[in-house]
Amino acid sequence: MQPVLTDNPYVIATTIGLVALTDLFDGWAARHITKNPNKGGAYLDACTDKFYALALIIPAIFENPLLLTNGFLETIIALVNRDTVKKGGEPKSTMLGKIKMWPLSATIGLSYINMAANSEVINKLITLGVITTGILEVINIIQYKKQAEEGFKKKKLIDKVDDMSLEE
């Protein structure tokens, strides 16, 4: 496959590295923009992370279909968070979710670099990255579901206490 903008692997790696660095700042920006360090900002942070990952994964799938796995799992994470919000919950990024973005970014970056390099060694690293990131994504999905359930239980308990206070 012919690279979209350049066949220089150094330019590709630098560009993707700079884009990946934005992950460090998007959480702060999301919370600052919404002026809410919890609800809106946390959700906006989660959305920007998914947009970032999927925007880079989708074009790379044509070069390496294995990345479909990560794209699918990132979509599941987004849907779990969306359902949590729909039910009145507040999804929050987990530490594993933040850590998982780095091997995912490296795997995606290697995929773009390999469009120019066409290296068997890089292909093996990409496969290892897809597997490693996939495992982290599955664990992350479980964490988000557990976090949502705990949040709903806590909210029900608070609502019950509030109802008891109103009855008195």
Side-chain angles (χ1 to χ4, degrees), residues 66-74 77 96 100 103-104 107 126-142:
L66 272 178
L67 287 167
L68 273 169
T69 304
N70 299 122
F72 176 74
L73 291 169
E74 286 298 308
I77 291 169
L96 179 65
K100 165 239 347 138
L104 178 60
T107 302
I126 292 167
T127 301
L128 179 63
V130 167
I131 293 167
T132 302
T133 305
I135 291 167
L136 295 174
E137 287 167 327
V138 169
I139 294 168
N140 202 217
I141 290 167
I142 293 166

Side-chain angles (χ1 to χ4, degrees), residues 51-125:
F51 178 77
Y52 157 75
L54 291 173
L56 288 174
I57 288 173
I58 291 169
I61 286 171
F62 296 104
E63 179 68 22
N64 194 328
L66 272 178
L67 287 167
L68 273 169
T69 304
N70 299 122
F72 176 74
L73 291 169
E74 286 298 308
T75 301
I76 298 276
I77 291 169
L79 292 173
V80 167
N81 286 336
R82 184 205 63 193
D83 289 346
T84 299
V85 170
K86 275 184 156 182
K87 293 176 183 175
E90 299 174 22
K92 294 177 184 151
S93 294
T94 64
M95 182 54 71
L96 179 65
K98 292 176 184 298
I99 292 169
K100 165 239 347 138
M101 290 303 290
W102 288 97
L104 178 60
S105 297
T107 302
I108 295 167
L110 285 172
S111 295
Y112 281 95
I113 290 168
N114 210 32
M115 288 179 191
N118 198 20
S119 163
E120 190 56 40
V121 172
I122 295 176
N123 262 334
K124 289 179 182 179
L125 289 172

Side-chain angles (χ1 to χ4, degrees), residues 16-32:
I16 290 179
L18 290 172
V19 171
L21 281 175
T22 65
D23 187 45
L24 292 173
F25 303 107
D26 70 342
W28 174 84
R31 286 163 178 79
H32 181 73

